[in-house]
Amino acid sequence: MMLKANLRYRRGDFELDFKIETGPGVIGLFGPSGAGKSTAIHLLAGLLKPSHGSVSLGDIVLDDFDRRLHTPCHRRRVS
């Protein structure tokens, strides 16, 4: 299943712009401390709501800021 995300998240002075499109398999994120790796995972998992953008898994839309759609983490069925 393809994971697509195009997100923006802002908290205080920190702003994360995150975009990913991937097929099946294992994905790794790497970067320096404070780059937003954990924040990106929290957004994909549904633990945080994006300030703008969307997340979809295949044909299922999990988050869509414009449509005010947010699927909570316990209903996402991803790991």
Side-chain angles (χ1 to χ4, degrees):
M1 226 182 258
M2 179 176 266
L3 171 68
K4 288 185 182 182
N6 189 358
L7 302 169
R8 182 176 302 138
Y9 180 76
R10 173 173 267 186
R11 182 187 294 178
D13 292 339
F14 177 76
E15 185 172 337
L16 174 69
D17 286 315
F18 180 74
K19 182 175 183 180
I20 189 170
E21 286 189 30
T22 183
V26 177
I27 301 166
L29 292 178
F30 60 92
S33 179
K37 300 176 299 292
S38 294
T39 301
I41 296 298
H42 290 160
L43 287 163
L44 293 173
L47 296 170
L48 293 173
K49 291 183 182 181
S51 301
H52 193 335
S54 63
V55 176
S56 62
L57 185 60
D59 294 333
I60 303 165
V61 177
L62 301 172
D63 273 308
D64 189 328
F65 180 81
D66 293 335
R67 293 182 359 201
R68 297 182 183 212
L69 173 68
H70 174 73
T71 305
C73 60
H74 65 279
R75 299 188 134 204
R76 290 191 179 219
R77 305 189 74 169
V78 296
S79 59

